[in-house]
Amino acid sequence: MGVKRFGVSIPGELLDKFDAAIERKGYKNRSEAIRDLIRASLIGGASSGGRRGVGVLSFVYDHSIPKLEKTLTAIQHESGGMVVTSMHVHLDERNCLEVVVLRGKPRAMRVFADRVRGVKGVKHGSFSPMLGVTDLP
Ligand code: NI
């Protein structure tokens, strides 16, 4: 395939922090660090096979919607033990924030996250896979 070059626009302050961080980690240059970041982000996708990892799902929902809370709890109970823990915050009179820590196969965690985010009434759903964190230096 060969090597391709591309330009990236980034705030100066963010780039300074990035440069400092990659220097601490011993990277010789930005390209090398960015290649590793891209590889790590791809591992977070469906391509990572059977390796287990952890992930965090967070979402906000309106608890005044009938049966919504019950549905969300049922989905977590049906996760096959993927839910390690969850935290519930009553944000205001209507909105609840829930943070769910998952452990399992990447694809299964993503399916679970998509299922929760797909429930009508769930908003601001965000899923962060963090695979193989125990292997990190
Ligand atoms: Ni609540």
Side-chain angles (χ1 to χ4, degrees), residues 10-92:
I10 183 171
E13 195 187 338
L14 185 58
L15 187 58
D16 289 345
K17 285 180 181 168
F18 183 67
D19 284 343
I22 66 177
E23 197 183 72
R24 280 197 303 275
K25 289 180 181 176
Y27 283 106
K28 292 188 194 81
N29 55 57
R30 285 177 190 154
S31 292
E32 205 178 293
I34 289 169
R35 279 194 291 272
D36 270 4
L37 278 179
I38 291 173
R39 284 189 196 104
S41 76
L42 292 175
I43 287 170
S47 59
S48 53
R51 195 170 167 206
R52 274 163 59 92
V54 293
V56 178
L57 170 68
S58 56
F59 55 94
V60 171
Y61 66 93
D62 182 342
H63 80 134
S64 69
I65 296 175
K67 292 184 184 168
L68 178 53
E69 193 147 28
K70 203 175 168 190
T71 301
L72 293 170
T73 302
I75 292 173
Q76 293 187 52
H77 278 279
E78 291 162 10
S79 76
M82 254 191 315
V83 175
V84 178
T85 189
S86 66
M87 181 177 73
H88 186 104
V89 182
H90 310 299
L91 290 178
D92 55 35

